[in-house]
Amino acid sequence: MKYSLILFTLLITTISFGQDIDTDQLWRTKGVYDSVGNFVERAKIQGFLYSSKSNQFYRLRTQDKLNMETGETKVFVYRDTLNLTFLDSKSYKISNKETLTLHTKDSLTIQFKGYSFPYTKINLKSKPVNIDKFKTQLLKAPLIESIDNKQDYEYTYQNNGLAKIKPLESDSEWESEYKIIDFNGFIILQGIVSAPKLITKLNKNTINFIQIDYRYKNKPGVFIKKQ
């Protein structure tokens, strides 16, 4: 009877995971909130989750730094794995310091030391583009960035990991580090002091993306090959 009860409990736990958390899905953070629900302005968090299994997430976080004395820029990428332990119908233990609450199939929150990190699901399947083809097209020629049909900057991505950035209404130009991140089939372009770009489609002269900023709604954008 004891072993039957254990097997039944494990079965119910497995079913709960399978019902609640869809696999092969991408989630993005919506900032950081303190214990009383206030948005923490200084916490500049760009983060993603990928549901690899019904009881496991992969987590990606990016951080950019600018040395005010030298002008040097650097993009840092952090990855870890979140293995979930079932607590109740909507709550899971990640570690002794972190828990996860699933509000709906499209919304969850991670709690850490009194802070809350809400995430929302992005309705896009993995592997929308081939990373090698994307790299080739990105480095091919200068690109005009258009977000919400507004064009402000020209980008020239180089093999050395730096992008030349030129405002369209100015003669100034500077270089900034960038990284191309393959996050379980989702291709993310991360630069300095800019929101991550989730690449969604390649055409002959354009690269479509979704600009994802933790402070705002997702925005559609496109890189247009400079003629």
Side-chain angles (χ1 to χ4, degrees):
M1 181 67 181
K2 179 180 178 181
Y3 293 110
S4 297
L5 182 59
I6 293 173
L7 288 172
F8 178 76
T9 302
L10 289 173
L11 178 62
I12 293 299
T13 301
T14 302
I15 290 173
S16 296
F17 278 133
Q19 288 178 339
D20 288 342
I21 302 175
D22 295 330
T23 58
D24 193 29
Q25 298 292 320
L26 185 68
W27 303 67
R28 65 97 162 185
T29 188
K30 296 179 70 178
V32 182
Y33 293 80
D34 63 20
S35 58
V36 294
N38 295 316
F39 182 75
V40 183
E41 292 282 353
R42 68 181 184 278
K44 298 178 180 180
I45 298 296
Q46 299 285 9
F48 296 91
L49 297 174
Y50 171 77
S51 50
S52 52
K53 300 178 183 178
S54 59
N55 63 340
Q56 185 184 74
F57 282 99
Y58 292 124
R59 177 163 56 187
L60 171 73
R61 288 170 288 181
T62 64
Q63 182 182 16
D64 55 76
K65 291 184 178 180
L66 171 64
N67 188 315
M68 299 302 293
E69 294 181 0
T70 65
E72 181 184 8
T73 60
K74 192 72 177 175
V75 177
F76 296 91
V77 178
Y78 306 95
R79 300 173 186 256
D80 61 346
T81 302
L82 311 182
N83 293 307
L84 309 182
T85 301
F86 181 78
L87 294 176
D88 57 44
S89 60
K90 295 295 180 182
S91 299
Y92 307 89
K93 178 182 176 181
I94 299 172
S95 68
N96 291 332
K97 297 180 179 179
E98 283 187 292
T99 58
L100 182 149
T101 302
L102 187 68
H103 305 292
T104 69
K105 282 188 172 291
D106 299 318
S107 173
L108 63 83
T109 301
I110 292 177
Q111 292 82 26
F112 176 72
K113 292 184 176 180
Y115 292 94
S116 296
F117 300 77
Y119 286 81
T120 185
K121 187 189 293 182
I122 300 173
N123 292 316
L124 184 70
K125 290 294 183 180
S126 61
K127 299 179 178 62
V129 299
N130 179 280
I131 188 169
D132 292 326
K133 291 181 179 178
F134 167 66
K135 288 179 179 178
T136 299
Q137 192 157 336
L138 187 73
L139 300 172
K140 206 170 193 179
L143 301 166
I144 305 298
E145 179 190 66
S146 176
I147 299 176
D148 276 349
N149 296 315
K150 185 179 179 181
Q151 298 181 4
D152 290 320
Y153 295 98
E154 174 187 312
Y155 287 79
T156 302
Y157 289 92
Q158 306 168 101
N159 277 314
N160 61 1
L162 298 175
K164 291 182 179 180
I165 305 171
K166 183 181 183 304
L168 297 180
E169 301 298 328
S170 170
D171 292 329
S172 63
E173 183 179 274
W174 64 90
E175 286 190 329
S176 179
E177 187 179 60
Y178 73 92
K179 287 192 184 297
I180 298 171
I181 305 166
D182 184 349
F183 186 49
N184 298 92
F186 293 96
I187 309 304
I188 298 167
L189 178 65
Q190 177 68 67
I192 296 292
V193 197
S194 64
K197 294 176 172 60
L198 176 62
I199 310 304
T200 58
K201 188 178 180 181
L202 302 179
N203 292 306
K204 184 178 180 181
N205 295 313
T206 58
I207 300 172
N208 291 81
F209 60 82
I210 300 171
Q211 180 165 281
I212 299 172
D213 191 311
Y214 65 92
R215 298 164 297 179
Y216 310 114
K217 291 183 178 180
N218 296 343
K219 295 181 179 180
V222 61
F223 281 128
I224 305 167
K225 181 180 176 182
K226 186 177 179 181
Q227 302 299 321

